[in-house]
Amino acid sequence: MKFHWPSLAMFWIMFASGSSAGLMVLGFAPHIIADRGASVALGVATIACVAIGNSIGRLSVGVAQYRFTPIMIIGSSQLASCLCLFSLSVVSDAGISVLLLALVAMFYGVLAAAMPLLTRAELEPSWFSANFAIIFTGWGFAGLTAPWIAGILRDQSGSFHTMLLLAGGASAACVVLTILSRSLQTQQPS
C-alpha cells in the first residue's frame, strides 16, 4: 500500500496544529516579552533562548527515539507545550515568560524532528519521501497562516492573551490527534 490516506490526513493535521503553536510563539517571542515590560536586552536574550530551546528539542529526539516511540515523543512534547502556552497566557513576569517561551520552542523542535520518524515508523517505509512530502505541507500551511492569525488576534485584542490561548488549543489538538492516531494505526491493513 503506497498511501494510507486516513493516517496521512491525521499526521498532516497533527503537524499543522503543533507547528502552528510553535510558529506563533517563535514569531512573536520578542513582542510577547516587550508587552510584559521587558528591556530591549531581554528581548534579544529571548530570541537567543528560543533558538537554543528549538535546537535542544530537535537534538533531543535523537536520544529519545531509542527509548520512546515517535507518537509518544510527539504527544508528550505537545502536552508540555500546551501547559507552557496556557501558563504564558496568565503569567506577567518577563523572566518566567522567557523560560516558558524557550520551553515552547524546545517542544516545537521536538515535534519538527519527530514527525519524519513517525512517518517512517507508521507508514510504508519505501514510500517515505512521498508520504512525508504530503505531511510536510502541514508545516508550510502552519507557517503561512499561524503568524498571520496571531497578528490579527494581537491587533484586535491589544494583547497576546487570545493568541496564546489559541496556540495552547492547537497544541492540545495535536495531543488529541496523537491519541486518536493509535486507534487509526490499529485499523490499517498490512
Side-chain angles (χ1 to χ4, degrees), residues 127-140:
W127 282 85
F128 169 77
S129 59
N131 286 325
F132 192 66
I134 293 167
I135 293 167
F136 192 69
T137 62
W139 178 85

Side-chain angles (χ1 to χ4, degrees), residues 5 13 29 32 36 42 49 75 77 81-82 86 111 114 126 134-135 147 156 158-159:
W5 291 107
I13 296 168
I32 292 169
R36 294 170 187 202
L42 188 56
C49 290
S77 72
S81 179
C82 177
F86 288 142
L111 171 72
S126 62
I134 293 167
I135 293 167
Q156 287 180 348
S159 79

Side-chain angles (χ1 to χ4, degrees), residues 46-151:
T46 300
I47 294 169
C49 290
V50 164
I52 291 167
N54 189 353
S55 298
I56 289 170
R58 290 171 188 265
L59 293 172
S60 69
V61 172
V63 175
Q65 71 175 329
Y66 293 107
R67 299 204 75 196
F68 306 103
T69 65
I71 202 75
M72 290 171 62
I73 295 169
I74 292 169
S76 60
S77 72
Q78 288 303 294
L79 178 60
S81 179
C82 177
L83 295 173
C84 288
L85 287 161
F86 288 142
S87 296
L88 262 170
S89 72
V90 296
V91 167
S92 60
D93 181 74
I96 294 172
S97 296
V98 171
L99 173 64
L100 290 170
L101 288 166
L103 288 171
V104 170
M106 182 179 73
F107 299 131
Y108 166 68
V110 169
L111 171 72
M115 280 307 294
L117 297 175
L118 177 66
T119 303
R120 185 150 183 96
E122 300 294 338
L123 300 174
E124 180 64 40
S126 62
W127 282 85
F128 169 77
S129 59
N131 286 325
F132 192 66
I134 293 167
I135 293 167
F136 192 69
T137 62
W139 178 85
F141 178 79
L144 178 66
T145 60
W148 177 66
I149 292 168

